[in-house]
Amino acid sequence: MSTKAKAKTPKAAKAEAPQETGPRQMTGAEMVVQAMVDQGVGHIFGYPGGAVLPIYDAIFQQKKLKHVLVRHEQGAAHAAEGYARSTGKVGAVLVTSGPGATNAVTGLTDALMDSIPMVCITGQVPTHLIGNDAFQEADTVGITRPCTKHNYLVKNIADLARILHEAFYVAGNGRPGPVVIDIPKDIQFATGTYTGPSNVAHKTYKPRLDGDPMRIKEAVALMATARRPIFYTGGGVINSGPAASRLLRELVRLTGFPITSTLMGLGAYPASDKQWLGMLGMHGTYEANWAMHDCDVMINIGARFDDRITGRLDAFSPGSRKIHVDIDPSSINKTIKVDVPIIGDCAHVLAEMVDAWKATKQKTDKATIGTWWKQIETWRRRDCLAYRQSKDIIKPQYAVERLYELTKDRDTYITTEVGQHQMWAAQFYKFEEPKRWMTSGGLGTMGYGLPAAVGVQMAHPKALVIDIAGEASVLMNMQEMSTAAQYRLPIKIFILNNEYMGMVRQWQELLHGGRYSESYSEALPDFVKLAEAYHAVGIRCSNPADLDDAIKEMINVDKPVIFDCLVDKMENCFPMIPSGRAHNEMILGDAAQNLDEAITEEGKTLV
């Protein structure tokens, strides 16, 4: 069986094929529920309101689709994101009109930025009231047009079944993203003909899966001539399914090239492998960023050259020829001009590249690549993630390291909030497999991690699900602890509590003269008591010597837990690329090794 044939087998995430149902009469509300069931949706996250009560009534009268009652519509969207990212399925959301829909906008935007498949059903006032400023009316289609992959306003019951199935196709195919279906209340009550999802597609949206054979050949030939190559991978590899990660690993090992990834791509390649350079970008490793800067051939697979990676564009990897694989044609040459553009699904293109490499019996110059690896090892010796340990106070890096060591052998999923703790999690928690890391990348949404953990735990009820949080960020959606308590979800909220909006404070210290304007988290709750108020378990730890036992206690509790880990208040997250600087102009912590005899101030290399 060829590599290409293997890659084209259905993704594990889509193993539950849509069920076939023949035409039958039902109400619009019943169609929504039946379409969810037929599309293989197990859980829908939502909050009821007047404009969606017919749908909630239809949910009440069946048992196949489970509704999860969140406490805020933003939480519903993030929970659906966590569910989708950890399974590869399309997440489902149900909210009412007006404020219900507008509350979901942050989650929709987050899903769009991070390419997360989601279908969001929003209620709408009856069609004859649209445009009349009716109670709880909002122009949901107009509001969500910039923050969705596609959206619909259903005006005729005859279109509803087709739109429902089409929405799942659009959300989950090509570059994934959120789709909104706005359904007026009278359409929910109306009766029409429902048909199942047979041969569902969009008449104009047909993403290309296979790469251009000539471009594949050109890319492989360029890779074979590389003296200082690097693989640069992103979330597109993970979105493409398990085959993409497997094929990426095969190609990296065949070539012997180093590999790095974006924040969203962590887990596609094992962090324990010797060819892994760590994450790159604003808080990426010294070796990853310098290898990107000095490479002569860059192979970008499933990443979009975002600003947190590139830094100042005119200084980004100036001497390299660039290969870019992406399923979204609009991402090609959008930010960085590339030499070999390949439009296609990562799994398909990787299979084609592996086959082409093997077929032409390509071999790299081991001596030249060996010299490149010697240079990389020199950069590695800077030990850029080093920090100064303390016997008296918990360092946040140490907290994540111990959390990793005590959970790495379990079936563990990590979500995060947004801030310093998020970057420390990315740096110090080592991911070996895809779909184990859920974080808000493109939008940087504070409050993402807790509801995302709810979604992940719903999808994986027997797994250990941990939200690595900051004390400021987690409060944004703390109400979702009620959801965790109601559904007996044993999620663990691991707060790195430094009593500051840590990343804001760090920028103010380094870039704004130490003027800490409104970044101190005053009047924080007692997180242990807060946990108990939510019928959960609260744990507090401030002594490094007690940390392991406290983490073990957290893991063993079969209830939701809020772990208040009191850490060094003034610790900064390094390396760091200051805003507006080149991607090789990094600030390192004072614990990093001083190797100026090997790496000069001008950045000259050994190659």
Side-chain angles (χ1 to χ4, degrees):
M1 188 177 186
S2 72
T3 307
K4 188 172 182 179
K6 289 179 183 177
K8 290 190 175 182
T9 55
K11 301 174 186 176
K14 297 182 179 180
E16 295 183 21
Q19 301 177 20
E20 296 294 334
T21 56
R24 46 188 162 138
Q25 295 296 112
M26 59 179 70
T27 66
E30 291 169 337
M31 287 185 189
V32 171
V33 174
Q34 188 61 54
M36 294 286 166
V37 172
D38 289 346
Q39 289 289 342
V41 175
H43 298 79
I44 187 168
F45 302 87
Y47 200 93
V52 285
L53 287 184
I55 299 174
Y56 274 88
D57 191 50
I59 290 173
F60 184 84
Q61 299 183 61
Q62 55 82 53
K63 294 183 179 180
K64 292 183 178 179
L65 176 65
K66 183 172 183 178
H67 180 272
V68 180
L69 178 65
V70 297
R71 270 46 179 186
H72 191 282
E73 290 87 354
Q74 181 184 345
H78 293 327
E81 285 188 274
Y83 190 95
R85 291 174 71 164
S86 65
T87 64
K89 299 178 182 178
V90 177
V93 177
L94 175 59
V95 299
T96 194
S97 64
T102 57
N103 280 348
V105 164
T106 297
L108 292 169
T109 310
D110 192 272
L112 182 69
M113 292 286 281
D114 287 347
S115 305
I116 309 304
M118 181 195 302
V119 170
C120 178
I121 306 294
T122 60
Q124 185 54 275
V125 300
T127 51
H128 68 279
L129 291 179
I130 293 176
N132 288 325
D133 297 328
F135 176 66
Q136 289 193 332
E137 180 190 1
D139 179 9
T140 299
V141 167
I143 290 168
T144 63
R145 185 171 288 117
C147 65
T148 56
K149 186 176 177 181
H150 196 55
N151 62 15
Y152 302 85
L153 171 61
V154 184
K155 296 182 179 180
N156 191 323
I157 186 65
D159 297 327
L160 181 56
R162 172 187 58 80
I163 287 173
L164 286 163
H165 298 309
E166 190 175 284
F168 276 87
Y169 170 84
V170 172
N173 284 272
R175 179 179 178 180
V179 177
V180 162
I181 309 175
D182 199 31
I183 310 178
K185 195 169 183 179
D186 56 320
I187 301 298
Q188 297 172 40
F189 278 121
T191 299
T193 302
Y194 174 82
T195 54
S198 179
N199 299 319
V200 175
H202 190 279
K203 59 185 178 181
T204 59
Y205 183 60
K206 300 184 185 301
R208 179 172 183 168
L209 300 180
D210 293 335
D212 182 326
M214 294 303 295
R215 292 293 193 185
I216 299 290
K217 184 178 179 180
E218 185 180 356
V220 168
L222 179 58
M223 289 163 58
T225 64
R227 297 171 60 85
R228 302 183 304 278
I230 189 169
F231 282 101
Y232 155 34
T233 60
V237 177
I238 294 173
N239 287 340
S240 187
S245 294
R246 175 178 57 79
L247 289 160
L248 173 66
R249 297 171 189 214
E250 183 178 0
L251 184 59
V252 171
R253 287 162 186 159
L254 279 171
T255 59
F257 295 172
I259 178 171
T260 182
S261 111
T262 65
L263 179 73
M264 301 305 296
L266 296 177
Y269 194 84
S272 61
D273 192 85
K274 63 182 181 180
Q275 290 173 247
W276 172 248
L277 302 188
M279 183 180 73
L280 80 162
M282 181 168 280
H283 292 283
T285 66
Y286 190 85
E287 54 267 31
N289 283 320
W290 265 105
M292 283 281 282
H293 182 271
D294 273 15
C295 72
D296 68 342
V297 174
M298 178 192 302
I299 309 105
N300 177 336
I301 303 176
R304 58 185 177 86
F305 290 110
D306 70 280
D307 61 291
R308 298 286 140 153
I309 300 300
T310 62
R312 200 176 75 241
L313 289 177
D314 63 354
F316 176 68
S317 194
S320 68
R321 298 187 67 188
K322 300 172 182 68
I323 300 164
H324 188 190
V325 177
D326 205 298
I327 198 166
D328 182 5
S330 70
S331 291
I332 303 291
N333 292 323
K334 180 179 181 179
T335 305
I336 296 291
K337 182 173 175 54
V338 299
D339 300 277
V340 186
I342 303 174
I343 298 170
D345 178 80
C346 287
H348 289 245
V349 174
L350 281 165
E352 291 156 357
M353 292 176 79
V354 168
D355 283 347
W357 187 274
K358 289 178 177 178
T360 56
K361 296 182 172 56
Q362 295 284 9
K363 291 184 179 179
T364 54
D365 185 328
K366 290 185 177 180
T368 301
I369 300 299
T371 303
W372 177 229
W373 272 110
K374 287 179 182 178
Q375 171 62 76
I376 291 171
E377 290 304 321
T378 300
W379 290 323
R380 273 179 168 164
R381 290 202 298 275
R382 290 300 291 255
D383 197 10
C384 66
L385 297 181
Y387 60 94
R388 300 200 183 280
Q389 189 54 275
S390 170
K391 294 182 180 179
D392 303 315
I393 191 168
I394 298 173
K395 293 288 186 175
Q397 303 95 320
Y398 179 72
V400 177
E401 283 184 322
R402 296 314 304 155
L403 182 68
Y404 168 71
E405 289 297 331
L406 295 168
T407 60
K408 65 182 180 180
D409 296 326
R410 293 173 175 264
D411 184 20
T412 305
Y413 293 79
I414 299 293
T415 71
T416 77
E417 307 295 333
V418 167
Q420 284 179 319
H421 61 275
Q422 176 191 27
M423 295 298 106
W424 281 316
Q427 291 173 341
F428 291 95
Y429 202 100
K430 300 175 176 63
F431 295 94
E432 299 295 304
E433 299 295 334
K435 301 189 185 299
R436 298 303 177 118
W437 165 248
M438 274 59 65
T439 195
S440 175
L443 194 61
T445 307
M446 294 175 71
Y448 169 89
L450 196 165
V454 167
V456 175
Q457 192 77 77
M458 273 290 179
H460 308 277
K462 295 183 179 181
L464 175 62
V465 180
I466 303 171
D467 172 28
I468 299 177
E471 83 292 333
S473 190
V474 75
L475 288 175
M476 291 253 180
N477 276 314
M478 181 56 76
Q479 74 283 342
E480 298 311 325
M481 283 299 292
S482 283
T483 306
Q486 177 176 341
Y487 295 96
R488 295 177 175 83
L489 303 175
I491 61 173
K492 319 301 182 187
I493 312 302
F494 190 75
I495 300 174
L496 301 181
N497 187 349
N498 58 13
E499 298 183 4
Y500 276 96
M501 299 173 203
M503 193 63 81
V504 174
R505 184 206 59 74
Q506 177 169 332
W507 281 50
Q508 289 174 336
E509 175 187 332
L510 299 177
L511 306 176
H512 296 277
R515 294 179 291 278
Y516 303 128
S517 177
E518 303 299 324
S519 57
Y520 181 63
S521 298
E522 295 191 66
L524 285 171
D526 181 324
F527 283 107
V528 172
K529 291 181 178 179
L530 184 61
E532 293 168 353
Y534 279 114
H535 311 288
V537 173
I539 300 172
R540 180 175 293 113
C541 185
S542 60
N543 189 334
D546 300 330
L547 184 59
D548 277 21
D549 287 341
I551 291 174
K552 290 175 184 177
E553 179 186 354
M554 176 190 76
I555 293 169
N556 292 328
V557 172
D558 191 26
K559 292 180 69 175
V561 175
I562 297 179
F563 188 116
D564 189 15
C565 187
L566 304 180
V567 300
D568 189 336
K569 296 179 183 180
M570 303 305 287
E571 188 76 3
N572 287 331
C573 183
F574 294 116
M576 174 185 173
I577 301 172
S579 181
R581 302 294 289 273
H583 71 126
N584 64 326
E585 296 177 340
M586 286 162 278
I587 302 174
L588 301 185
D590 60 6
Q593 297 299 311
N594 184 358
L595 295 177
D596 286 341
E597 68 276 8
I599 306 169
T600 71
E601 290 181 1
E602 293 80 15
K604 294 177 182 177
T605 71
L606 300 178
V607 176

